Amino acid sequence: GSIGYHSDDGKIFLSNKEIASKYQFKEKDLVGCGIDSLGKTFFTLNGKLIYMSSERINNNSQLYPSIGVKNKVKAAFNFGQKK
């Protein structure tokens, strides 16, 4: 499965099913996506929690982080090495 957060309409999808409609984001916003210690995925916007999944990710799952963009963007990624 997959989970995604769309900037254009603020919708969050889990395996192609809309599960939440939250906040649209725009240029200069800081979007975070992570997995907590219980295996639940979450999204943040400018440092504030906006979505926490009620489902847990299987500990044996292989994860493939990705970003999809329509235009040129500047993006940075942190896989836990920066705090």
Side-chain angles (χ1 to χ4, degrees):
S2 63
I3 188 166
Y5 176 24
H6 293 207
S7 67
D8 59 341
D9 56 13
K11 293 180 180 177
I12 296 173
F13 292 86
L14 178 61
S15 297
N16 294 323
K17 179 183 174 193
E18 183 183 336
I19 56 172
S21 184
K22 294 292 180 183
Y23 306 96
Q24 290 176 287
F25 57 94
K26 59 195 177 314
E27 186 176 353
K28 302 208 187 251
D29 280 342
L30 179 63
V31 177
C33 176
I35 303 169
D36 73 2
S37 61
L38 299 175
K40 296 180 180 181
T41 55
F42 63 88
F43 287 102
T44 61
L45 181 59
N46 297 319
K48 294 182 181 180
L49 181 66
I50 60 165
Y51 175 78
M52 174 67 78
S53 174
S54 59
E55 298 180 29
R56 295 180 180 182
I57 290 179
N58 181 330
N59 287 342
N60 297 323
S61 297
Q62 290 188 354
L63 304 176
Y64 302 95
S66 63
I67 182 173
V69 297
K70 197 174 196 177
N71 300 309
K72 291 182 181 181
V73 299
K74 181 177 179 181
F77 301 87
N78 176 3
F79 295 105
Q81 68 275 32
K82 293 181 185 177
K83 297 195 181 213

PDB file of all heavy atoms in Angstrom, residues 2-6 9-22 40-43 50-56:
ATOM      1  N   SER A   2       0.208   2.357  -0.036  1.00  0.00           N
ATOM      2  CA  SER A   2       0.901   3.640  -0.030  1.00  0.00           C
ATOM      3  C   SER A   2       0.073   4.654   0.744  1.00  0.00           C
ATOM      4  O   SER A   2      -1.122   4.472   0.965  1.00  0.00           O
ATOM      5  CB  SER A   2       1.121   4.124  -1.459  1.00  0.00           C
ATOM      6  OG  SER A   2      -0.128   4.349  -2.092  1.00  0.00           O
ATOM      7  N   ILE A   3       0.752   5.712   1.157  1.00  0.00           N
ATOM      8  CA  ILE A   3       0.073   6.824   1.805  1.00  0.00           C
ATOM      9  C   ILE A   3       0.598   8.097   1.179  1.00  0.00           C
ATOM     10  O   ILE A   3       1.793   8.206   0.886  1.00  0.00           O
ATOM     11  CB  ILE A   3       0.255   6.807   3.342  1.00  0.00           C
ATOM     12  CG1 ILE A   3      -0.630   7.867   4.000  1.00  0.00           C
ATOM     13  CG2 ILE A   3       1.701   6.934   3.734  1.00  0.00           C
ATOM     14  CD1 ILE A   3      -0.780   7.725   5.500  1.00  0.00           C
ATOM     15  N   GLY A   4      -0.282   9.047   0.911  1.00  0.00           N
ATOM     16  CA  GLY A   4       0.137  10.280   0.266  1.00  0.00           C
ATOM     17  C   GLY A   4      -0.668  11.469   0.735  1.00  0.00           C
ATOM     18  O   GLY A   4      -1.827  11.341   1.134  1.00  0.00           O
ATOM     19  N   TYR A   5      -0.032  12.623   0.684  1.00  0.00           N
ATOM     20  CA  TYR A   5      -0.638  13.898   1.098  1.00  0.00           C
ATOM     21  C   TYR A   5      -0.523  14.847  -0.086  1.00  0.00           C
ATOM     22  O   TYR A   5       0.578  15.159  -0.515  1.00  0.00           O
ATOM     23  CB  TYR A   5       0.092  14.396   2.335  1.00  0.00           C
ATOM     24  CG  TYR A   5      -0.305  15.748   2.890  1.00  0.00           C
ATOM     25  CD1 TYR A   5      -1.552  16.310   2.666  1.00  0.00           C
ATOM     26  CD2 TYR A   5       0.586  16.454   3.678  1.00  0.00           C
ATOM     27  CE1 TYR A   5      -1.898  17.535   3.206  1.00  0.00           C
ATOM     28  CE2 TYR A   5       0.261  17.683   4.226  1.00  0.00           C
ATOM     29  CZ  TYR A   5      -0.985  18.220   3.985  1.00  0.00           C
ATOM     30  OH  TYR A   5      -1.317  19.436   4.515  1.00  0.00           O
ATOM     31  N   HIS A   6      -1.645  15.283  -0.622  1.00  0.00           N
ATOM     32  CA  HIS A   6      -1.679  16.117  -1.824  1.00  0.00           C
ATOM     33  C   HIS A   6      -1.723  17.602  -1.472  1.00  0.00           C
ATOM     34  O   HIS A   6      -2.581  18.032  -0.692  1.00  0.00           O
ATOM     35  CB  HIS A   6      -2.902  15.771  -2.670  1.00  0.00           C
ATOM     36  CG  HIS A   6      -2.854  14.405  -3.265  1.00  0.00           C
ATOM     37  ND1 HIS A   6      -3.505  14.089  -4.416  1.00  0.00           N
ATOM     38  CD2 HIS A   6      -2.228  13.261  -2.872  1.00  0.00           C
ATOM     39  CE1 HIS A   6      -3.307  12.823  -4.720  1.00  0.00           C
ATOM     40  NE2 HIS A   6      -2.529  12.301  -3.786  1.00  0.00           N
ATOM     41  N   ASP A   9      -5.182  19.846  -2.897  1.00  0.00           N
ATOM     42  CA  ASP A   9      -6.485  19.825  -2.251  1.00  0.00           C
ATOM     43  C   ASP A   9      -6.425  19.446  -0.768  1.00  0.00           C
ATOM     44  O   ASP A   9      -7.438  19.416  -0.085  1.00  0.00           O
ATOM     45  CB  ASP A   9      -7.436  18.879  -2.983  1.00  0.00           C
ATOM     46  CG  ASP A   9      -6.900  17.464  -3.100  1.00  0.00           C
ATOM     47  OD1 ASP A   9      -5.920  17.125  -2.412  1.00  0.00           O
ATOM     48  OD2 ASP A   9      -7.483  16.697  -3.886  1.00  0.00           O
ATOM     49  N   GLY A  10      -5.233  19.140  -0.254  1.00  0.00           N
ATOM     50  CA  GLY A  10      -5.072  18.807   1.157  1.00  0.00           C
ATOM     51  C   GLY A  10      -5.567  17.428   1.541  1.00  0.00           C
ATOM     52  O   GLY A  10      -5.673  17.106   2.714  1.00  0.00           O
ATOM     53  N   LYS A  11      -5.863  16.593   0.554  1.00  0.00           N
ATOM     54  CA  LYS A  11      -6.393  15.264   0.846  1.00  0.00           C
ATOM     55  C   LYS A  11      -5.265  14.276   1.138  1.00  0.00           C
ATOM     56  O   LYS A  11      -4.199  14.355   0.556  1.00  0.00           O
ATOM     57  CB  LYS A  11      -7.237  14.765  -0.318  1.00  0.00           C
ATOM     58  CG  LYS A  11      -8.510  15.573  -0.487  1.00  0.00           C
ATOM     59  CD  LYS A  11      -9.343  15.072  -1.644  1.00  0.00           C
ATOM     60  CE  LYS A  11     -10.601  15.919  -1.763  1.00  0.00           C
ATOM     61  NZ  LYS A  11     -11.418  15.511  -2.916  1.00  0.00           N
ATOM     62  N   ILE A  12      -5.563  13.343   2.042  1.00  0.00           N
ATOM     63  CA  ILE A  12      -4.632  12.286   2.397  1.00  0.00           C
ATOM     64  C   ILE A  12      -5.234  10.976   1.911  1.00  0.00           C
ATOM     65  O   ILE A  12      -6.416  10.697   2.133  1.00  0.00           O
ATOM     66  CB  ILE A  12      -4.374  12.268   3.912  1.00  0.00           C
ATOM     67  CG1 ILE A  12      -3.696  13.580   4.320  1.00  0.00           C
ATOM     68  CG2 ILE A  12      -3.528  11.060   4.313  1.00  0.00           C
ATOM     69  CD1 ILE A  12      -3.522  13.770   5.811  1.00  0.00           C
ATOM     70  N   PHE A  13      -4.410  10.187   1.234  1.00  0.00           N
ATOM     71  CA  PHE A  13      -4.860   8.929   0.649  1.00  0.00           C
ATOM     72  C   PHE A  13      -4.073   7.769   1.233  1.00  0.00           C
ATOM     73  O   PHE A  13      -2.874   7.882   1.453  1.00  0.00           O
ATOM     74  CB  PHE A  13      -4.652   8.936  -0.871  1.00  0.00           C
ATOM     75  CG  PHE A  13      -5.541   9.914  -1.593  1.00  0.00           C
ATOM     76  CD1 PHE A  13      -5.161  11.233  -1.740  1.00  0.00           C
ATOM     77  CD2 PHE A  13      -6.749   9.501  -2.128  1.00  0.00           C
ATOM     78  CE1 PHE A  13      -5.972  12.139  -2.401  1.00  0.00           C
ATOM     79  CE2 PHE A  13      -7.567  10.393  -2.802  1.00  0.00           C
ATOM     80  CZ  PHE A  13      -7.177  11.718  -2.935  1.00  0.00           C
ATOM     81  N   LEU A  14      -4.764   6.668   1.468  1.00  0.00           N
ATOM     82  CA  LEU A  14      -4.136   5.429   1.893  1.00  0.00           C
ATOM     83  C   LEU A  14      -4.554   4.365   0.891  1.00  0.00           C
ATOM     84  O   LEU A  14      -5.748   4.084   0.741  1.00  0.00           O
ATOM     85  CB  LEU A  14      -4.583   5.036   3.302  1.00  0.00           C
ATOM     86  CG  LEU A  14      -4.039   3.734   3.861  1.00  0.00           C
ATOM     87  CD1 LEU A  14      -2.519   3.765   3.952  1.00  0.00           C
ATOM     88  CD2 LEU A  14      -4.636   3.448   5.224  1.00  0.00           C
ATOM     89  N   SER A  15      -3.569   3.814   0.171  1.00  0.00           N
ATOM     90  CA  SER A  15      -3.830   2.817  -0.876  1.00  0.00           C
ATOM     91  C   SER A  15      -4.934   3.283  -1.830  1.00  0.00           C
ATOM     92  O   SER A  15      -5.907   2.578  -2.079  1.00  0.00           O
ATOM     93  CB  SER A  15      -4.183   1.470  -0.251  1.00  0.00           C
ATOM     94  OG  SER A  15      -3.088   0.982   0.484  1.00  0.00           O
ATOM     95  N   ASN A  16      -4.799   4.504  -2.322  1.00  0.00           N
ATOM     96  CA  ASN A  16      -5.706   5.120  -3.302  1.00  0.00           C
ATOM     97  C   ASN A  16      -7.099   5.431  -2.781  1.00  0.00           C
ATOM     98  O   ASN A  16      -7.991   5.770  -3.533  1.00  0.00           O
ATOM     99  CB  ASN A  16      -5.812   4.273  -4.573  1.00  0.00           C
ATOM    100  CG  ASN A  16      -4.501   4.218  -5.317  1.00  0.00           C
ATOM    101  OD1 ASN A  16      -3.765   5.197  -5.369  1.00  0.00           O
ATOM    102  ND2 ASN A  16      -4.195   3.073  -5.877  1.00  0.00           N
ATOM    103  N   LYS A  17      -7.326   5.318  -1.477  1.00  0.00           N
ATOM    104  CA  LYS A  17      -8.620   5.658  -0.888  1.00  0.00           C
ATOM    105  C   LYS A  17      -8.458   6.923  -0.055  1.00  0.00           C
ATOM    106  O   LYS A  17      -7.562   7.002   0.792  1.00  0.00           O
ATOM    107  CB  LYS A  17      -9.108   4.503  -0.010  1.00  0.00           C
ATOM    108  CG  LYS A  17     -10.429   4.774   0.655  1.00  0.00           C
ATOM    109  CD  LYS A  17     -10.838   3.619   1.565  1.00  0.00           C
ATOM    110  CE  LYS A  17     -12.088   3.987   2.328  1.00  0.00           C
ATOM    111  NZ  LYS A  17     -12.354   3.067   3.418  1.00  0.00           N
ATOM    112  N   GLU A  18      -9.326   7.913  -0.295  1.00  0.00           N
ATOM    113  CA  GLU A  18      -9.251   9.146   0.486  1.00  0.00           C
ATOM    114  C   GLU A  18      -9.651   8.844   1.924  1.00  0.00           C
ATOM    115  O   GLU A  18     -10.712   8.288   2.185  1.00  0.00           O
ATOM    116  CB  GLU A  18     -10.184  10.211  -0.083  1.00  0.00           C
ATOM    117  CG  GLU A  18     -10.095  11.525   0.655  1.00  0.00           C
ATOM    118  CD  GLU A  18     -11.064  12.575   0.145  1.00  0.00           C
ATOM    119  OE1 GLU A  18     -11.494  12.503  -1.017  1.00  0.00           O
ATOM    120  OE2 GLU A  18     -11.389  13.480   0.933  1.00  0.00           O
ATOM    121  N   ILE A  19      -8.758   9.197   2.854  1.00  0.00           N
ATOM    122  CA  ILE A  19      -9.038   8.906   4.261  1.00  0.00           C
ATOM    123  C   ILE A  19      -9.173  10.170   5.104  1.00  0.00           C
ATOM    124  O   ILE A  19      -9.659  10.113   6.218  1.00  0.00           O
ATOM    125  CB  ILE A  19      -7.960   7.980   4.869  1.00  0.00           C
ATOM    126  CG1 ILE A  19      -6.576   8.581   4.706  1.00  0.00           C
ATOM    127  CG2 ILE A  19      -8.045   6.605   4.267  1.00  0.00           C
ATOM    128  CD1 ILE A  19      -5.484   7.826   5.438  1.00  0.00           C
ATOM    129  N   ALA A  20      -8.737  11.300   4.572  1.00  0.00           N
ATOM    130  CA  ALA A  20      -8.840  12.553   5.316  1.00  0.00           C
ATOM    131  C   ALA A  20      -8.699  13.723   4.363  1.00  0.00           C
ATOM    132  O   ALA A  20      -8.103  13.601   3.302  1.00  0.00           O
ATOM    133  CB  ALA A  20      -7.761  12.630   6.400  1.00  0.00           C
ATOM    134  N   SER A  21      -9.270  14.831   4.742  1.00  0.00           N
ATOM    135  CA  SER A  21      -9.090  16.073   3.998  1.00  0.00           C
ATOM    136  C   SER A  21      -8.652  17.111   5.018  1.00  0.00           C
ATOM    137  O   SER A  21      -9.418  17.464   5.909  1.00  0.00           O
ATOM    138  CB  SER A  21     -10.395  16.490   3.321  1.00  0.00           C
ATOM    139  OG  SER A  21     -10.198  17.625   2.534  1.00  0.00           O
ATOM    140  N   LYS A  22      -7.422  17.529   4.905  1.00  0.00           N
ATOM    141  CA  LYS A  22      -6.851  18.405   5.923  1.00  0.00           C
ATOM    142  C   LYS A  22      -6.494  19.758   5.335  1.00  0.00           C
ATOM    143  O   LYS A  22      -7.334  20.435   4.787  1.00  0.00           O
ATOM    144  CB  LYS A  22      -5.625  17.738   6.551  1.00  0.00           C
ATOM    145  CG  LYS A  22      -5.951  16.499   7.346  1.00  0.00           C
ATOM    146  CD  LYS A  22      -6.723  16.848   8.595  1.00  0.00           C
ATOM    147  CE  LYS A  22      -7.066  15.608   9.397  1.00  0.00           C
ATOM    148  NZ  LYS A  22      -7.857  15.873  10.555  1.00  0.00           N
ATOM    149  N   LYS A  40       2.675   3.789  13.519  1.00  0.00           N
ATOM    150  CA  LYS A  40       1.608   4.585  12.903  1.00  0.00           C
ATOM    151  C   LYS A  40       2.215   5.727  12.093  1.00  0.00           C
ATOM    152  O   LYS A  40       3.149   6.390  12.557  1.00  0.00           O
ATOM    153  CB  LYS A  40       0.677   5.147  13.971  1.00  0.00           C
ATOM    154  CG  LYS A  40      -0.070   4.068  14.729  1.00  0.00           C
ATOM    155  CD  LYS A  40      -0.969   4.680  15.768  1.00  0.00           C
ATOM    156  CE  LYS A  40      -1.715   3.620  16.543  1.00  0.00           C
ATOM    157  NZ  LYS A  40      -2.614   4.227  17.533  1.00  0.00           N
ATOM    158  N   THR A  41       1.684   5.947  10.898  1.00  0.00           N
ATOM    159  CA  THR A  41       2.187   7.029  10.057  1.00  0.00           C
ATOM    160  C   THR A  41       1.506   8.336  10.441  1.00  0.00           C
ATOM    161  O   THR A  41       0.367   8.351  10.937  1.00  0.00           O
ATOM    162  CB  THR A  41       1.923   6.746   8.568  1.00  0.00           C
ATOM    163  OG1 THR A  41       0.538   6.501   8.373  1.00  0.00           O
ATOM    164  CG2 THR A  41       2.726   5.571   8.088  1.00  0.00           C
ATOM    165  N   PHE A  42       2.232   9.441  10.202  1.00  0.00           N
ATOM    166  CA  PHE A  42       1.670  10.748  10.505  1.00  0.00           C
ATOM    167  C   PHE A  42       2.191  11.789   9.517  1.00  0.00           C
ATOM    168  O   PHE A  42       3.203  11.578   8.850  1.00  0.00           O
ATOM    169  CB  PHE A  42       1.998  11.172  11.941  1.00  0.00           C
ATOM    170  CG  PHE A  42       3.473  11.353  12.204  1.00  0.00           C
ATOM    171  CD1 PHE A  42       4.100  12.567  11.978  1.00  0.00           C
ATOM    172  CD2 PHE A  42       4.233  10.301  12.685  1.00  0.00           C
ATOM    173  CE1 PHE A  42       5.465  12.723  12.224  1.00  0.00           C
ATOM    174  CE2 PHE A  42       5.581  10.443  12.943  1.00  0.00           C
ATOM    175  CZ  PHE A  42       6.197  11.663  12.710  1.00  0.00           C
ATOM    176  N   PHE A  43       1.467  12.912   9.437  1.00  0.00           N
ATOM    177  CA  PHE A  43       1.890  14.064   8.647  1.00  0.00           C
ATOM    178  C   PHE A  43       1.887  15.288   9.536  1.00  0.00           C
ATOM    179  O   PHE A  43       1.030  15.437  10.413  1.00  0.00           O
ATOM    180  CB  PHE A  43       0.929  14.320   7.471  1.00  0.00           C
ATOM    181  CG  PHE A  43       1.060  13.324   6.361  1.00  0.00           C
ATOM    182  CD1 PHE A  43       0.156  12.301   6.218  1.00  0.00           C
ATOM    183  CD2 PHE A  43       2.095  13.426   5.438  1.00  0.00           C
ATOM    184  CE1 PHE A  43       0.259  11.375   5.191  1.00  0.00           C
ATOM    185  CE2 PHE A  43       2.221  12.503   4.407  1.00  0.00           C
ATOM    186  CZ  PHE A  43       1.296  11.481   4.278  1.00  0.00           C
ATOM    187  N   ILE A  50      -0.987  17.150  11.789  1.00  0.00           N
ATOM    188  CA  ILE A  50      -2.286  17.330  11.134  1.00  0.00           C
ATOM    189  C   ILE A  50      -2.990  16.006  10.862  1.00  0.00           C
ATOM    190  O   ILE A  50      -4.188  15.983  10.581  1.00  0.00           O
ATOM    191  CB  ILE A  50      -2.171  18.143   9.827  1.00  0.00           C
ATOM    192  CG1 ILE A  50      -1.262  17.445   8.825  1.00  0.00           C
ATOM    193  CG2 ILE A  50      -1.710  19.559  10.114  1.00  0.00           C
ATOM    194  CD1 ILE A  50      -1.390  17.980   7.431  1.00  0.00           C
ATOM    195  N   TYR A  51      -2.255  14.891  10.928  1.00  0.00           N
ATOM    196  CA  TYR A  51      -2.890  13.591  10.702  1.00  0.00           C
ATOM    197  C   TYR A  51      -2.065  12.498  11.364  1.00  0.00           C
ATOM    198  O   TYR A  51      -0.851  12.468  11.240  1.00  0.00           O
ATOM    199  CB  TYR A  51      -3.007  13.286   9.203  1.00  0.00           C
ATOM    200  CG  TYR A  51      -3.542  11.904   8.954  1.00  0.00           C
ATOM    201  CD1 TYR A  51      -4.901  11.634   9.080  1.00  0.00           C
ATOM    202  CD2 TYR A  51      -2.698  10.855   8.646  1.00  0.00           C
ATOM    203  CE1 TYR A  51      -5.393  10.353   8.896  1.00  0.00           C
ATOM    204  CE2 TYR A  51      -3.183   9.569   8.463  1.00  0.00           C
ATOM    205  CZ  TYR A  51      -4.526   9.328   8.590  1.00  0.00           C
ATOM    206  OH  TYR A  51      -5.019   8.059   8.413  1.00  0.00           O
ATOM    207  N   MET A  52      -2.765  11.587  12.063  1.00  0.00           N
ATOM    208  CA  MET A  52      -2.135  10.406  12.639  1.00  0.00           C
ATOM    209  C   MET A  52      -2.983   9.212  12.251  1.00  0.00           C
ATOM    210  O   MET A  52      -4.190   9.183  12.531  1.00  0.00           O
ATOM    211  CB  MET A  52      -2.061  10.509  14.167  1.00  0.00           C
ATOM    212  CG  MET A  52      -1.542   9.262  14.865  1.00  0.00           C
ATOM    213  SD  MET A  52       0.190   8.874  14.559  1.00  0.00           S
ATOM    214  CE  MET A  52       0.981  10.040  15.641  1.00  0.00           C
ATOM    215  N   SER A  53      -2.377   8.242  11.614  1.00  0.00           N
ATOM    216  CA  SER A  53      -3.084   7.041  11.179  1.00  0.00           C
ATOM    217  C   SER A  53      -3.490   6.199  12.380  1.00  0.00           C
ATOM    218  O   SER A  53      -2.797   6.167  13.387  1.00  0.00           O
ATOM    219  CB  SER A  53      -2.184   6.214  10.254  1.00  0.00           C
ATOM    220  OG  SER A  53      -2.789   4.989   9.942  1.00  0.00           O
ATOM    221  N   SER A  54      -4.612   5.519  12.257  1.00  0.00           N
ATOM    222  CA  SER A  54      -5.024   4.587  13.312  1.00  0.00           C
ATOM    223  C   SER A  54      -4.472   3.192  13.042  1.00  0.00           C
ATOM    224  O   SER A  54      -4.502   2.330  13.913  1.00  0.00           O
ATOM    225  CB  SER A  54      -6.551   4.537  13.404  1.00  0.00           C
ATOM    226  OG  SER A  54      -7.096   4.120  12.171  1.00  0.00           O
ATOM    227  N   GLU A  55      -3.950   2.967  11.824  1.00  0.00           N
ATOM    228  CA  GLU A  55      -3.398   1.667  11.448  1.00  0.00           C
ATOM    229  C   GLU A  55      -1.884   1.659  11.624  1.00  0.00           C
ATOM    230  O   GLU A  55      -1.228   2.674  11.468  1.00  0.00           O
ATOM    231  CB  GLU A  55      -3.743   1.346   9.996  1.00  0.00           C
ATOM    232  CG  GLU A  55      -5.229   1.250   9.741  1.00  0.00           C
ATOM    233  CD  GLU A  55      -5.548   0.933   8.300  1.00  0.00           C
ATOM    234  OE1 GLU A  55      -4.734   0.272   7.632  1.00  0.00           O
ATOM    235  OE2 GLU A  55      -6.612   1.361   7.848  1.00  0.00           O
ATOM    236  N   ARG A  56      -1.355   0.480  11.905  1.00  0.00           N
ATOM    237  CA  ARG A  56       0.080   0.323  12.067  1.00  0.00           C
ATOM    238  C   ARG A  56       0.693  -0.299  10.825  1.00  0.00           C
ATOM    239  O   ARG A  56       0.069  -1.123  10.162  1.00  0.00           O
ATOM    240  CB  ARG A  56       0.392  -0.572  13.268  1.00  0.00           C
ATOM    241  CG  ARG A  56      -0.027   0.037  14.569  1.00  0.00           C
ATOM    242  CD  ARG A  56       0.289  -0.878  15.710  1.00  0.00           C
ATOM    243  NE  ARG A  56      -0.134  -0.241  16.960  1.00  0.00           N
ATOM    244  CZ  ARG A  56       0.042  -0.765  18.126  1.00  0.00           C
ATOM    245  NH1 ARG A  56       0.632  -1.933  18.246  1.00  0.00           N
ATOM    246  NH2 ARG A  56      -0.351  -0.148  19.203  1.00  0.00           N
TER     247      ARG A  56
END
